[in-house]
Amino acid sequence: MTHGYDTIAVLDFGSQYTQLIARRIREKGVYAEILPCFASRKEVEKLNPVGLVLSGGPASVHEEGSPKGDPAIFELDVPVLGICYGMQWMAVELGGKVHPSDMREYGRRDIEIGGDAGILFKGIEGETSTWMSHGDQLDTLPDGFNVTAKSPTCPVAAMGNDAKKFYGVQFHPEVRHTVRGHELLDNFLFEICQAKTGWSMEEFERQEIEKIRELVGTGRVIGGVSGGVDSTVMAALLARAIGDQFIAIFVDNGLLRKNEREQVKHSLQDALGVNLEVVDATDQFLGALEGVSDPEQKRKKIGYTFIDIFDAEAAKHTDADFLAQGTLYPDVIESVSAKGPSATIKSHHNVGGLPEKMNLKLIEPLRELFKDEVRELGRRLGIPEELVSRHPFPGPGLAVRLLGEVSAERLAILREADAIFIEELRAAGWYDKVSQALAVLLPVRSVGVMGDYRTYEEVIALRSVDTWDFMTADFSPLPHELLGKVSTRIINEVKGVNRVVYDVSSKPPATVEWE
């Protein structure tokens, strides 16, 4: 993609942190784009990068089938930073040697930075805490490299060749656990690559509006909206660019949170001036889900039903030329297996699926953005903070927070419990402190006592997590008084519930959502 910005190419060797590397670079005002590790020199050259970052990865360079890059990228005459596996692959390609170590390093690890550590460690001296994740170690440096940092069990925690501007670190500077990682990235970007800042949401908004207007001309665009952050920002951007030429279609699937349909109409139609059409498809979705308990089957049934309904609604707009989707950059990376080893993390995204069925040209105005960038763009477009900072909500809605078979009665129970939880979090000032909060209706009943009667009713599980990137997450330490108040309200106000529990598991091994 040609922007006119200085660009860093991030080659993905399979690390769970690959996207985080790109985000950290973008946060500093420099555009970063992810390519698969096997991208050819010519493919990398198309980005005209001012530097390359080679991501980490879970494999060993000695394993058969382990990720390999094109060695010709080292002839591009641009600086290179190898991280973890990326450092090891670079070292081997340039003549060094890597071996499996008896002393593996995972988690926090202090390293000692050498007295002459070079430009990469400019301003960073002595001992500092880093985040390690490796079993192999580098024991023979390529020609021209020096050891720039070491740990008690890792003799080469970092290496550098200032003459060629090639560098490697065995730790992850992109994660916050590496205390001075942001300074190291600053040194690589601005001291070594001499990158110029220019990537900003202000500039993105200006360029994207121009592109949309030029592409659409006098045509018409339709697009699905859900009320979530991504589709709301997409709709607001298109409305800003082409006004009533964009028609937003909101399909009420009956799996929404309390009062969500009314909130969507107010926020999009009334507040942002989006040309909105609402379709009530509750009966179709509940009919499709009847008797279905398996979470993957739920997702598929919901996806197929949505496509059928949206297709039928879109067919009414015979003058439509384009379909808009709120696809984000992580969706693009994770949904296309050719993108690299980390591409298979998500299987449920159907990026580009609808246009194939409807024969419309596709517009994805957010496909280059990460979630935090989408939120920033939303603020620029005037979307209220309550919407912009809203917690993530799954595409299949409450159906995957309702374990077991979906029914209107069980949805009503979950909807009310969820609304009480979120309402109390907001009232106590905790909603914006946590990353995601939700209620789950369990497929079990428990014995209880209400008044003089024994009950045998449903169980609600509350879940709230704190995370920087949703790759890992800890449960939120909500005050007991708050949890007690939520529990009391749910049991008293939601008919059919007599027990409330709080989920204190972390990710991993658990996930944020239950299904």
Side-chain angles (χ1 to χ4, degrees):
M1 184 68 66
T2 302
H3 300 277
Y5 312 123
D6 278 359
T7 298
I8 299 293
V10 180
L11 300 190
D12 177 17
F13 284 86
S15 173
Q16 63 175 321
Y17 300 128
T18 298
Q19 293 180 31
L20 187 58
I21 296 170
R23 283 176 53 197
R24 291 285 178 261
I25 294 170
R26 289 188 184 190
E27 286 169 3
K28 297 175 182 297
V30 179
Y31 183 69
E33 187 160 328
I34 298 171
L35 294 174
C37 62
F38 49 78
S40 68
R41 171 180 172 169
K42 286 187 177 180
E43 289 173 304
V44 176
E45 277 184 309
K46 289 177 183 177
L47 296 181
N48 192 28
V50 297
L52 305 180
V53 175
L54 314 179
S55 86
S60 164
V61 290
H62 300 296
E63 291 175 355
E64 185 178 348
S66 61
K68 299 290 191 294
D70 181 356
I73 62 171
F74 297 114
E75 302 168 7
L76 287 174
D77 196 29
V78 297
V80 180
L81 172 62
I83 296 174
C84 198
Y85 180 92
M87 164 179 153
Q88 294 173 3
W89 175 76
M90 174 170 66
V92 171
E93 287 296 331
L94 297 178
K97 292 183 180 179
V98 171
H99 73 283
S101 173
D102 295 331
M103 299 293 292
R104 300 182 177 186
E105 293 183 310
Y106 294 98
R108 293 184 189 275
R109 198 71 173 171
D110 289 341
I111 64 168
E112 182 70 29
I113 299 165
D116 184 20
I119 304 172
L120 188 65
F121 288 95
K122 180 181 177 181
I124 310 172
E125 300 173 352
E127 191 174 274
T128 186
S129 182
T130 66
W131 190 259
M132 296 275 197
S133 179
H134 68 99
D136 291 351
Q137 289 188 358
L138 176 65
D139 59 3
T140 302
L141 292 171
D143 289 344
F145 281 79
N146 298 313
V147 176
T148 54
K150 61 183 179 180
S151 79
T153 57
C154 183
V156 186
M159 66 177 189
N161 182 331
D162 281 336
K164 288 193 172 183
K165 298 184 179 179
F166 290 171
Y167 304 89
V169 293
Q170 191 59 72
F171 53 89
H172 290 275
E174 69 273 19
V175 304
R176 297 183 188 274
H177 301 296
T178 297
V179 176
R180 306 191 71 174
H182 67 98
E183 296 172 64
L184 186 148
L185 290 175
D186 280 345
N187 286 339
F188 180 69
L189 295 174
F190 304 117
E191 297 289 338
I192 296 169
C193 298
Q194 296 290 303
K196 297 181 179 63
T197 57
W199 172 253
S200 68
M201 283 305 98
E202 179 180 8
E203 183 61 18
F204 175 85
E205 178 190 358
R206 185 190 67 77
Q207 288 196 21
E208 198 61 30
I209 286 175
E210 285 182 6
K211 285 198 297 184
I212 291 168
R213 288 172 177 168
E214 182 179 349
L215 178 65
V216 175
T218 59
R220 294 179 73 79
V221 182
I222 59 172
V225 294
S226 66
V229 176
D230 304 341
S231 66
T232 298
V233 173
M234 175 202 74
L237 182 62
L238 283 161
R240 176 75 58 87
I242 57 175
D244 283 347
Q245 289 172 255
F246 171 63
I247 303 160
I249 300 173
F250 173 60
V251 177
D252 183 351
N253 58 15
L255 308 170
L256 305 175
R257 289 166 287 194
K258 188 176 182 180
N259 299 326
E260 188 139 27
R261 179 167 162 177
E262 292 75 16
Q263 290 171 0
V264 169
K265 289 180 68 175
H266 173 71
S267 61
L268 288 177
Q269 188 170 275
D270 303 336
L272 296 172
V274 175
N275 189 0
L276 181 69
E277 294 184 1
V278 179
V279 182
D280 186 352
T282 300
D283 292 342
Q284 293 97 310
F285 279 91
L286 292 186
L289 290 169
E290 188 174 352
V292 179
S293 297
D294 179 74
E296 191 61 29
Q297 284 300 311
K298 286 181 187 178
R299 292 177 182 274
K300 288 179 179 178
K301 291 276 189 182
I302 292 167
Y304 295 147
T305 304
F306 175 80
I307 290 176
D308 288 341
I309 292 170
F310 189 90
D311 189 17
E313 192 65 24
K316 300 175 184 177
H317 297 279
T318 55
D319 58 346
D321 308 290
F322 300 88
L323 172 74
Q325 289 188 174
T327 308
L328 303 192
Y329 196 38
D331 300 334
V332 176
I333 298 165
E334 295 173 354
S335 301
V336 184
S337 59
K339 272 289 184 181
S342 69
T344 57
I345 296 170
K346 283 185 183 176
S347 63
H348 61 270
H349 284 289
N350 186 27
V351 179
L354 285 173
E356 183 180 337
K357 184 179 178 74
M358 295 189 296
N359 197 30
L360 294 172
K361 299 172 188 174
L362 185 62
I363 295 180
E364 295 175 308
L366 310 181
R367 69 177 285 120
E368 297 167 37
L369 303 185
F370 289 106
K371 190 78 169 191
D372 51 341
E373 294 172 320
V374 172
R375 295 187 194 278
E376 186 181 346
L377 177 60
R379 294 183 182 98
R380 288 196 51 80
L381 292 167
I383 298 173
E385 186 62 33
E386 184 176 338
L387 274 176
V388 172
S389 60
R390 198 175 193 190
H391 292 177
F393 187 62
L398 296 179
V400 292
R401 292 180 177 176
L402 189 160
L403 277 60
E405 187 174 347
V406 178
S407 68
E409 293 75 22
R410 298 191 75 219
L411 280 167
I413 291 172
L414 178 57
R415 192 173 284 120
E416 289 299 322
D418 177 78
I420 290 170
F421 187 28
I422 299 304
E423 181 182 319
E424 290 299 334
L425 284 173
R426 289 191 184 279
W430 271 89
Y431 184 85
D432 292 325
K433 294 179 183 178
V434 304
S435 304
Q436 186 173 355
L438 57 133
V440 180
L441 183 60
L442 304 184
V444 296
R445 291 176 179 269
S446 71
V447 174
V449 178
M450 290 186 176
D452 296 327
Y453 298 96
R454 288 171 68 83
T455 60
Y456 189 60
E457 296 182 332
E458 309 249 36
V459 180
I460 286 286
L462 304 178
R463 176 81 158 138
S464 180
V465 299
D466 299 327
T467 178
W468 286 313
D469 50 29
F470 286 91
M471 296 172 186
T472 61
D474 293 320
F475 70 89
S476 307
L478 298 181
H480 290 180
E481 296 81 3
L482 173 58
L483 290 171
K485 185 175 183 180
V486 173
S487 174
T488 300
R489 280 198 61 192
I490 289 174
I491 291 171
N492 287 342
E493 299 175 30
V494 183
K495 188 176 180 180
V497 176
N498 67 357
R499 193 178 299 271
V500 175
V501 298
Y502 188 54
D503 181 349
V504 294
S505 50
S506 61
K507 175 188 179 182
T511 54
V512 176
E513 298 283 352
W514 278 47
E515 284 194 344

